[in-house]
Amino acid sequence: MLGTIVNTVTIIAGAVMGSYMKRGIKPPYQQALFNAMGLCSLALGVNAFCQNMPKSNYPVLFIVSLAAGSLIGFMLNLDGKFKKLVDRRKKKKDGDAPLSEGLSTGILLYCIGTFSMVGPVLSALYGDNTYLYTNATLDLITSAVLATTYGIGMVWAAPVLFCWQGMFYLMAKLSADAISDDLRTELCIVGGVLIVASGLSILKIKDCKTINMLPAFLIIVLFFLAKSLVG
């Protein structure tokens, strides 16, 4: 778990550094960073989707999971509850970006990707933390940049990453076959779509209510669990 702990700490450190940097950045420059983050989210999301879609053995699964997951999220009003919980704890000033928007984007950027999913597996099976240390370096920079826009509240993404990577670590410890390449591929495809949705929200093009779509990940996991039981 050392690699995951290091990765978690770097997100906290980046958020702290970025929040101090924010104090010296004037609002017009903050808006420029805000726009840059939206465009970066679009680019990273499209890249994740395009890289993994050709590897998919279940090309319709991401459509079904997003549709079903979005319906579940809408019925539970996950997006509304998340925004209410997060944003009411932040004293918002005119022109401030909503923290809930930053957290949802940050969590997806930190958690979705080869490094963040394969890294804990390699750490659990072989004690190899190379992927996690690489991911920690990238997340340090990403966290600092996000915090210059959204503030110190970005530290709350750290425990989410810890739980996410901890889940993969524990699953690998319990069973080396529990996390298949197909499962990681489908999670990355859906994750790519959600990162794009976050980018659209940041740029004020379309509020996709990304948090409502998160149950799509659960649909994918349940699909592969059912498949393993039947097989």
Side-chain angles (χ1 to χ4, degrees):
M1 287 292 285
L2 177 61
T4 293
I5 293 172
V6 170
N7 201 164
T8 303
V9 171
T10 56
I11 290 176
I12 296 173
V16 172
M17 288 188 296
S19 65
Y20 276 103
M21 290 167 58
K22 180 180 180 180
R23 298 178 184 180
I25 300 176
K26 295 180 180 179
Y29 297 102
Q30 289 184 21
Q31 185 60 46
L33 287 171
F34 186 69
N35 291 337
M37 287 287 36
L39 292 172
C40 287
S41 295
L42 289 178
L44 291 170
V46 170
N47 180 63
F49 180 86
C50 292
Q51 275 192 340
N52 289 280
M53 194 62 204
K55 304 175 188 176
S56 176
N57 292 316
Y58 310 93
V60 182
L61 179 58
F62 86 96
I63 300 174
V64 174
S65 62
L66 280 169
S70 296
L71 285 175
I72 294 171
F74 177 78
M75 288 188 291
L76 297 175
N77 191 26
L78 297 180
D79 187 80
K81 292 176 181 176
F82 179 75
K83 288 179 178 177
K84 185 177 180 180
L85 175 66
V86 173
D87 291 336
R88 74 180 179 183
R89 296 180 180 275
K90 177 187 176 185
K91 292 181 180 179
K92 190 175 178 182
K93 300 177 182 178
D94 291 339
D96 272 3
L99 177 58
S100 57
E101 196 172 74
L103 274 177
S104 61
T105 302
I107 288 169
L108 288 169
L109 290 175
Y110 302 147
C111 295
I112 302 303
T114 301
F115 289 152
S116 196
M117 288 192 278
V118 177
V121 176
L122 294 178
S123 178
L125 297 180
Y126 310 111
D128 183 0
N129 290 309
T130 305
Y131 273 29
L132 290 175
Y133 291 153
T134 303
N135 199 57
T137 304
L138 296 172
D139 287 348
L140 174 66
I141 299 170
T142 304
S143 179
V145 174
L146 284 170
T148 59
T149 300
Y150 298 101
I152 190 64
M154 288 303 302
V155 297
W156 293 111
V160 177
L161 174 92
F162 182 84
C163 293
W164 173 261
Q165 291 188 358
M167 177 187 69
F168 281 94
Y169 183 93
L170 182 60
M171 289 173 66
K173 277 290 189 183
L174 294 175
S175 173
D177 299 324
I179 306 171
S180 65
D181 290 338
D182 283 339
L183 173 58
R184 289 196 297 269
T185 295
E186 299 304 325
L187 288 175
C188 284
I189 290 172
V190 170
V193 174
L194 296 190
I195 293 172
V196 169
S198 290
L200 294 174
S201 297
I202 291 173
L203 293 171
K204 308 300 181 187
I205 296 175
K206 171 69 176 178
D207 183 4
C208 299
K209 301 189 182 301
T210 311
I211 298 297
N212 280 346
M213 301 179 186
L214 289 181
F217 290 125
L218 178 61
I219 301 297
I220 291 174
V221 173
L222 291 176
F223 170 80
F224 279 94
L225 179 61
K227 183 174 175 292
S228 66
L229 293 175
V230 173

